Amino acid sequence: MARNIQSLERAAAMLRLLAGGERRLGLSDIASSLGLAKGTAHGILRTLQQEGFVEQDDASGRYQLGAELLRLGTTYLDVHELRARALVWTDDLARSSGESVHLGVLHQQGVLIVHHVFRPDDSRQVLEIGAMQPLHSTALGKVLSAYDPVAHSEALEADRKAFTERTVCDLDAFEHILDITRARGYAADVEETWEGVASIAAPIHDRRRMPVGSVGITGAVERVCRDGELRPELIAAVRDCARAVSRDLGAGRF
């Protein structure tokens, strides 16, 4: 009978521990829970971190699951209800807007991209499924922070880093933006995360009318904006897409 490989068993146990307990765990907690020496646990964590399966918080030194796990879960993604319901509508949004479309969900103090439709032109683009975006500066993240209480708490706890001179980091100013987002039903990011790039996003709700994700378009500022303002037809297209996905999830009309 073939013997199991101990290091793989320990790595699997470590991933299950990180998936089932607190959001982040320290080295001592992980080693103690699994009955491992700290040196052994650290070696496994370092390997998992190098492969992207585990991430370490710079401030606390604690560990959490990494986005690479999602990249390997393509089969799971294909049957994930949110993504499945959004496929047709996000394709339509990309065609009508002429921009790339992203579908995001809350994950470890950030937005995890679970679906990405390329901009419908011949330009070279990189698939961003599994990528992480910040909650406080991106349109997808602001929508989640505005509508999802858990995302809101995560955004407040996270390090609101300034990516450009337009990034809003002040807590009161950020809360004001979330109030505006809830009032108008969509969020924007105009060069707050990336220079020359603008985004528009709206919330997706499920049958319990709970926020389960956000969908949005991303493109060059000169295409997404006109005369310094977001193009209203793009705002309408994004909101229509979000409503359509929400209806398919059983949320009814908003």
Side-chain angles (χ1 to χ4, degrees):
M1 182 176 177
R3 295 177 58 187
N4 293 339
I5 301 174
Q6 189 179 54
S7 59
L8 292 180
E9 289 181 330
R10 289 172 170 174
M14 201 168 285
L15 292 174
R16 291 192 189 98
L17 178 65
L18 290 170
E22 300 178 25
R23 288 191 178 90
R24 290 183 290 275
L25 293 172
L27 174 60
S28 296
D29 299 324
I30 295 171
S32 175
S33 297
L34 299 179
L36 300 174
K38 282 188 178 180
T40 301
H42 184 258
I44 296 172
L45 283 167
R46 186 174 57 205
T47 300
L48 291 172
Q49 186 177 1
Q50 289 172 348
E51 296 300 323
F53 299 141
V54 165
E55 298 169 0
Q56 186 177 27
D57 181 69
D58 292 334
S60 67
R62 290 174 173 265
Y63 294 89
Q64 62 192 31
L65 292 179
E68 182 64 22
L69 288 172
L70 184 68
R71 292 192 180 96
L72 295 182
T74 53
T75 301
Y76 168 75
L77 283 178
D78 287 339
V79 298
H80 188 284
E81 187 177 11
L82 172 60
R83 182 177 182 272
R85 297 289 185 179
L87 288 176
V88 172
W89 300 112
T90 50
D91 282 348
D92 286 348
L93 178 58
R95 282 193 294 269
S96 66
S97 67
E99 303 295 347
S100 62
V101 176
H102 296 87
L103 183 69
V105 298
L106 176 66
H107 178 75
Q108 306 290 7
Q109 291 190 318
V111 183
L112 182 63
I113 304 302
V114 297
H115 185 53
H116 175 200
V117 183
F118 282 163
R119 185 171 63 255
D121 59 21
D122 295 328
S123 63
R124 180 172 181 147
Q125 299 171 64
V126 177
L127 188 65
E128 296 180 19
I129 293 176
M132 292 290 293
Q133 293 187 4
L135 285 169
H136 70 288
S137 64
T138 62
L140 293 172
K142 291 177 194 176
V143 164
L144 292 175
S145 300
Y147 287 90
D148 184 344
V150 176
H152 181 253
S153 297
E154 295 280 15
L156 299 188
E157 293 175 5
D159 176 22
R160 291 183 297 279
K161 176 183 175 182
F163 298 104
T164 73
E165 62 180 16
R166 293 172 177 261
T167 308
V168 175
C169 302
D170 176 75
L171 179 57
D172 290 339
F174 179 63
E175 291 283 21
H176 179 61
I177 288 174
L178 299 187
D179 288 340
I180 294 174
T181 298
R182 285 185 286 267
R184 64 189 185 183
Y186 70 91
D189 164 13
V190 181
E191 297 190 286
E192 293 179 49
T193 311
W194 303 281
E195 297 283 356
V197 176
S199 301
I200 305 168
I204 296 172
H205 297 79
D206 66 7
R207 61 184 61 87
R208 300 166 300 163
R209 300 181 77 85
M210 296 293 292
V212 292
S214 54
V215 63
I217 61 169
T218 299
V221 171
E222 59 267 23
R223 294 196 306 267
V224 177
C225 299
R226 182 188 297 126
D227 299 326
E229 299 291 336
L230 296 170
R231 289 168 54 192
E233 67 271 24
L234 294 182
I235 295 173
V238 171
R239 296 192 67 192
D240 286 347
C241 176
R243 291 191 192 103
V245 178
S246 296
R247 285 197 299 270
D248 277 4
L249 289 170
R253 288 191 172 273
F254 275 81

